Amino acid sequence: MAREVLEMVAGPDAGVRVALDEAGGEVLIGRDPAQVGVVLADPRISRRHARVALDLEALVVEDLGSTGGTHVNGLRIEGPVLLREGDRIGLGQGEAVVLWAPPPPVAATEAGPVPTDTGAAPTDIGPAPPAPTPVPEPVAAAPPPPAPAPPPPAPAPPPMSEAALAAPPPPAPAPPPMSEPALAAPPPPAAAPPPARSAPAPGGGARLSGRPLLLLISGAVAALWTVLGLVSILLSFSGGESIAGSGQAFLIILTILFLLGAAGFSALLILLAVRATAVPAPFRSTRMLALIGLGVGGLITGEAFYGLTLDTRAGAGAGAWLLLFSGLFLLGAAVVLLIAGDAPPLGPPSWTVVWLVAGAAGGALLVAIGSGLTWYSQGRFSVSGLRVDAGDAALAFAIVTILAAAVPVVARLAGWGRVGRIGVWSVVGLAALLAGLMITALTAVDISRGVGLVLGLIGALAALGLAVTAAVLMTREAGRPAPAGWA
């Protein structure tokens, strides 16, 4: 008969119960329906996370090498662990409580040998069986000659049982050790305890290896380059001027906001590696964090490209180069999250996602058109975007974005699921780069702006918004089964 043994009481899967046959059996808990019997939607749960089994009349839980680990009463376990009613099991973001478990077997170490030492079975008296062993000693000591003492014990047992009833004082010292096992023995004699049982290893969760260690290193590197990005504000950016010394208040504020976003991304990445429970629930998904990294890294990279490509006599300074590497390392950390993150498997991009990406390509097309129109104008003086290196860079990145946006469309038609997903993430990073370049160009000049620059800014922001929406929608479709023929 099946009996409910666990219930999820906290986390995304609260209310889910686990049942096992009382006669024995096991069930696997995880995120992959093809490999486990109990499927949880928690993104922090591994595909094969833990095993719960009734093994030799005992309820046992075992971690199956999951990324986040399995915790019993707050301690991370290393092997199979015996469970009792009321124990709390940490699984991903959630927690389960043990509803029922068989009573733990009692090892009969003291009471076991007693029945086998009673030579002649004293079946006539119920409470006296434990007494025969200690009682012969006073009787053997009673005869004055010491030599004949050993023979009497053989015929002595029958009269000893009556003597035990008639003379309670002599056996008085013997009952204390015997009475406690006798009281503790009511459970039916069980087989040996489960062979695989170990106590949770204190401090087991403090060790970092594999995926958490990789995320920690990526977060630390991103944090380092974020600090260097802040330093770049004081260094020469373009034309011999630094961002801080340019006198452009909006450009200074914009750069600081970009770098604060990078600092937040780095901090969340480090927390996700060392203490995932401290990360706010909306940001525990590695793909959502990767989306933030692609956006912030692209914006910073685009701003740096403006400083590197602006046509000035003094040329680009160290600040622009430092800002460029800050953005590139943030993009790299986001890619690491997409590759090494423990998140539900993604199915193929839906047609809604594909059309949103196609809309982002339309925004990039506006940037391409605007790059050839007037960027700066004052009186009779006007400059076409293509007459400055920044305009050429905007056109080049717009063309690359349009080509990347075509990848999910072609992949959807050809049935290349993985290729389509890579295309969506690429469009997010490229659209963010375009937006960073165009915003910086719009705020870094003193003369009035031309229609080409405004058109390019509108197109870049539209491309970024549509690409981010497509990526979020694709992430929420995680776990949707892929059609036949999709990879």
Side-chain angles (χ1 to χ4, degrees):
M1 181 181 67
R3 186 159 186 173
E4 293 179 340
V5 295
L6 298 180
E7 180 183 7
M8 296 296 295
V9 295
D13 300 286
V16 174
R17 294 195 172 198
V18 178
L20 287 174
D21 194 328
E22 290 187 30
E26 69 175 26
V27 65
L28 301 186
I29 301 174
R31 207 183 59 240
D32 188 351
Q35 302 186 53
V36 300
V38 177
V39 181
L40 301 181
D42 186 347
R44 298 298 298 167
I45 294 292
S46 296
R47 292 176 177 82
R48 294 176 75 255
H49 195 99
R51 177 181 76 98
V52 178
L54 271 174
D55 186 8
L56 297 178
E57 300 184 7
L59 185 63
V60 175
V61 64
E62 178 182 7
D63 185 73
L64 300 178
S66 63
T67 302
T70 302
H71 299 74
V72 175
N73 296 328
L75 296 176
R76 185 165 181 167
I77 64 175
E78 299 291 341
V81 173
L82 180 66
L83 296 175
R84 293 176 174 80
E85 290 186 18
D87 283 350
R88 306 186 78 84
I89 306 172
L91 299 168
Q93 304 176 31
E95 187 176 54
V97 65
V98 179
L99 301 176
W100 174 85
V106 178
T109 56
E110 297 181 51
V114 174
T116 60
D117 292 339
T118 58
T123 57
D124 55 332
I125 300 166
T133 303
V135 171
E137 295 182 6
V139 177
M160 282 309 101
S161 59
E162 298 178 5
L165 289 175
M178 297 303 177
S179 60
E180 294 180 10
L183 292 174
R197 189 188 312 162
S198 63
R207 295 193 300 271
L208 288 177
S209 60
R211 187 176 290 135
L213 181 60
L214 181 60
L215 297 182
L216 177 62
I217 294 173
S218 300
V221 172
L224 172 64
W225 280 100
T226 299
V227 174
L228 294 176
L230 289 171
V231 174
S232 71
I233 298 177
L234 305 176
L235 303 177
S236 173
F237 181 67
S238 182
E241 287 187 347
S242 66
I243 294 177
S246 65
Q248 298 294 327
F250 191 75
L251 176 62
I252 297 172
I253 295 174
L254 189 70
T255 307
I256 293 176
L257 288 177
F258 286 169
L259 291 170
L260 286 178
F265 167 72
S266 305
L268 288 173
L269 189 53
I270 293 173
L271 278 177
L272 186 67
V274 299
R275 191 178 178 185
T277 54
V279 179
F283 302 108
R284 290 180 188 174
S285 167
T286 52
R287 291 197 179 101
M288 290 303 295
L289 268 182
L291 184 59
I292 296 173
L294 288 173
V296 175
L299 289 169
I300 294 176
T301 304
E303 180 181 356
F305 262 109
Y306 177 83
L308 292 171
T309 57
L310 188 62
D311 187 10
T312 60
R313 293 181 179 179
W321 286 105
L322 206 55
L323 202 61
L324 174 67
F325 282 106
S326 299
L328 292 177
F329 272 98
L330 287 169
L331 290 173
V335 172
V336 170
L337 271 175
L338 291 175
I339 296 174
D342 182 21
L346 285 177
S350 65
W351 277 113
T352 303
V353 171
V354 171
W355 286 117
L356 286 170
V357 173
L365 182 60
L366 288 180
V367 177
I369 295 173
S371 66
L373 301 178
T374 301
W375 272 31
Y376 313 139
S377 62
Q378 188 177 34
R380 296 181 179 179
F381 171 76
S382 65
V383 176
S384 167
L386 293 180
R387 292 176 58 189
V388 293
D389 293 341
D392 289 338
L395 177 61
F397 284 120
I399 293 174
V400 173
T401 305
I402 293 171
L403 294 176
V407 171
V409 180
V410 175
R412 177 72 196 191
L413 295 174
W416 303 332
R418 185 171 299 138
V419 174
R421 296 191 295 270
I422 293 173
V424 173
W425 295 117
S426 301
V427 171
V428 173
L430 289 168
L433 189 153
L434 280 176
L437 192 152
M438 300 308 296
I439 292 173
T440 307
L442 190 68
T443 59
V445 293
D446 295 326
I447 56 179
S448 58
R449 289 90 183 178
V451 64
L453 191 57
V454 175
L455 188 63
L457 176 65
I458 294 174
L461 293 178
L464 179 59
L466 290 170
V468 169
T469 304
V472 171
L473 183 58
M474 183 177 65
T475 300
R476 290 183 177 179
E477 293 173 350
R480 178 164 56 86
W486 277 76

